[in-house]
């Protein structure tokens, strides 16, 4: 209950005072309000201090944030899907869990490059899949153009972060904007692939937090 109240207070601050906070955070590139929300929800684990906010987010860290959002647990005895993330690696279990849910894919060489910085296109491909628009993205050209177009059309993309890679603070902003975007469900009674808006977001779906 205490955690829920803390989360709600943070969200209240965003919507009551968001203009002031967002301006200050954007100028400094720290997005402190969004960082606080992601930390309060247990999506991002971030040490205190400005230096922690300015380091770049790796691919392994980003998919861990996604797993935390979706409450996906690492597989205890995972199958190895990526040749550079062997069994015994701290990320092997979580990558297997995400791969088996079609949230991440193997790529052409079956290397995951866990320590490389996550790139803009890669992050939005994952967020598009998590939001349920993967099939539509493939029909619109696939990675990266199709995923970016769909992410833009459905309001997932953050207008404030346009960099090739993300700092921790920028990643918090990207995740906040994506997880508070209105989700759209597919119309199954249509001969074409169409979607209609719902009253849900990724935060309400997975964290029971309504904005």
């Amino acid at each position: 209950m205490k955690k829920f109240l803390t989360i709600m207070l943070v969200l209240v601050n965003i919507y009551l005072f968001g203009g002031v906070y967002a301006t200050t955070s954007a100028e400094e590139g720290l997005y402190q309000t969004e960082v606080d929300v992601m930390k309060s929800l247990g999506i991002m684990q971030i040490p205190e201090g400005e230096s922690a906010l300015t380091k770049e987010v790796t691919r392994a860290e980003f998919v861990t944030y996604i797993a935390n959002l979706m409450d996906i647990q690492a597989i205890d005895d995972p199958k190895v899907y990526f040749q550079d993330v062997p069994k015994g690696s701290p990320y092997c279990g979580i990558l297997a869990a995400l791969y088996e849910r079609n949230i991440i894919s193997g790529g052409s060489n079956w290397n995951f490059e866990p320590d490389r910085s996550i790139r803009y296109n890669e992050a939005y491909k994952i967020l598009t899949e998590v939001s349920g628009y993967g099939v539509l993205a493939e029909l619109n050209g696939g990675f990266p153009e199709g995923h970016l177009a769909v992410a833009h059309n459905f309001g997932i993309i953050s207008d404030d972060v346009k960099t090739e890679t993300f700092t921790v603070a920028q990643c918090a902003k990207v995740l906040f904007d994506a997880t508070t975007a209105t989700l759209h469900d597919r119309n199954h009674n249509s001969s074409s692939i169409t979607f209609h808006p719902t009253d849900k977001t990724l935060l309400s779906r997975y964290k029971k937090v309504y904005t």
Side-chain angles (χ1 to χ4, degrees):
M1 183 66 177
K2 183 177 180 181
K3 179 182 178 182
F4 178 77
L5 289 174
T6 300
I7 293 168
M8 291 308 297
L9 285 172
V10 171
L11 291 173
V12 167
N13 280 335
I14 290 172
Y15 287 97
L16 289 182
F17 308 108
V20 176
Y21 284 169
T23 301
T24 303
S25 299
E27 288 174 353
E28 297 174 354
L30 298 181
Y31 301 106
Q32 190 61 56
T33 302
E34 289 83 355
V35 167
D36 289 343
V37 172
M38 292 297 110
K39 289 175 66 174
S40 296
L41 292 170
I43 295 171
M44 299 176 73
Q45 293 78 39
I46 307 171
E48 295 298 326
E50 184 174 324
S51 60
L53 298 178
T54 56
K55 70 176 287 290
E56 289 198 344
V57 174
T58 67
R59 284 166 53 82
E61 289 170 335
F62 187 82
V63 298
T64 300
Y65 300 154
I66 296 298
N68 291 341
L69 165 68
M70 303 176 72
D71 294 321
I72 294 174
Q73 303 299 313
I75 297 174
D76 290 334
D77 186 20
K79 182 177 179 180
V80 175
Y81 290 102
F82 303 96
Q83 56 189 7
D84 60 345
V85 187
K87 191 169 290 190
S89 162
Y91 297 111
C92 186
I94 203 66
L95 291 181
L98 292 169
Y99 179 83
E100 291 174 8
R101 289 169 172 82
N102 296 317
I103 296 169
I104 59 174
S105 57
S108 58
N109 59 7
W110 291 96
N111 284 322
F112 187 75
E113 300 178 89
D115 298 323
R116 174 171 65 73
S117 296
I118 187 79
R119 292 175 182 147
Y120 183 92
N121 292 347
E122 296 166 342
Y124 280 111
K125 179 182 187 295
I126 293 171
L127 288 169
T128 301
E129 298 288 344
V130 171
S131 299
Y133 310 132
V135 171
L136 186 61
E138 291 299 326
L139 290 174
N140 279 272
F143 180 78
E145 290 85 0
H147 288 84
L148 291 176
V150 169
H152 176 77
N153 288 341
F154 285 107
I156 298 172
I157 287 182
S158 173
D159 291 331
D160 296 317
V161 180
K162 300 293 186 182
T163 52
E164 174 64 15
T165 57
F166 305 140
T167 65
V168 169
Q170 288 173 323
C171 187
K173 175 62 174 172
V174 165
L175 289 174
F176 179 84
D177 287 355
T179 57
T180 55
T182 298
L183 290 176
H184 291 66
D185 282 345
R186 183 173 174 178
N187 295 316
H188 291 285
N189 58 346
S190 173
S191 58
S192 59
I193 297 180
T194 59
F195 289 78
H196 65 272
T198 70
D199 60 354
K200 298 180 179 66
T201 66
L202 287 176
L203 280 190
S204 68
R205 174 176 289 174
Y206 292 112
K207 296 300 183 184
K208 310 304 180 189
V209 173
Y210 298 86
T211 57

